[in-house]
Amino acid sequence: MNTDDALSEAVTGYALSMQRLCAATPAGSTERAGHVRLLFSGTALPSLNSVAVLDDEWEAGDVTALAEHAEGLGLPWSILFRVARDTANESRLAEIAEIAGSHGLTGRSETPFLTCDRDDLVGRGPRVDSRIVTAGAADWAEYTAALSDGFEAPPSAFGSLMAGGVLDVPEFTGYLARLDGQPAATGLGSRIGRSLGVFNIAVVPRFRRAGLGRAVTERVVLDGFEAGATIAYLQASDDGRPLYESMGFRHVETWISFRG
């Protein structure tokens, strides 16, 4: 697979993964207008209630229509805009910023989108780590508690995001790490076609510096590649980016989020 095809596979995988998550989570919903998606999780996190503009062929009217819908849903929300390196256009970005501003979304942040080809993965840990187990739908409360602690967010922030049948969706595999009998870290893999999304990498503060972030990420990626994926992707925080790059991930694009 050439570089452009791999990136396209990763971006499509991200969009479909978020669509499946929002369809499966109890308070979630999805909608589409042309090449624009509304991915609404029903949580209080604007990054998980987004009008996602991930395709080059979007129309401003479609963004506006879904933005109006999102605003009417009564929860914090955002507009996510993919800035593809070879098609970046300041006038198109200005269009998105204008629509966002008309809804009071004047805050702006940039997040690097990283990918890793199967042949480029740099692994350090054992293939099987006894600290890490897979998590199913019955584990959602424990999983959510660890996820919230790991992101240092109140439990209400994630709400019922991982409830219902989310962790039993066929494309998803949840991971829960334990130390001293306590939930210590989370991860989530989403394999769609040849792409593997790496989500929810979070380590509870008191269990940090024990290698769990790397161990869980490696487990997610190795399992996904073993199942047939050839390209892994993730959105990296400033703190997590050095870890992911040491594992073979590289920055391929920057995505911009507008929020209130």
Side-chain angles (χ1 to χ4, degrees), residues 132-189:
I132 303 168
V133 299
T134 56
D139 304 306
W140 81 270
E142 184 181 31
Y143 184 97
T144 300
L147 180 66
S148 300
D149 286 349
F151 280 107
E152 300 183 55
S156 59
F158 289 97
S160 62
L161 177 68
M162 305 306 296
V166 169
L167 290 170
D168 284 343
V169 170
E171 294 89 351
F172 294 166
T173 305
Y175 298 87
L176 186 61
R178 294 187 178 90
L179 278 181
D180 302 326
Q182 299 296 314
T186 61
L188 181 73

Side-chain angles (χ1 to χ4, degrees), residues 25-36:
T25 190
S29 62
T30 67
E31 189 170 333
R32 185 162 183 167
H35 293 273
V36 184

Side-chain angles (χ1 to χ4, degrees), residues 86-105:
D86 57 347
T87 59
N89 184 310
E90 287 299 320
S91 65
R92 301 236 77 188
L93 177 57
E95 282 186 85
I96 294 292
E98 183 176 357
I99 296 169
S102 71
H103 291 277
L105 305 183

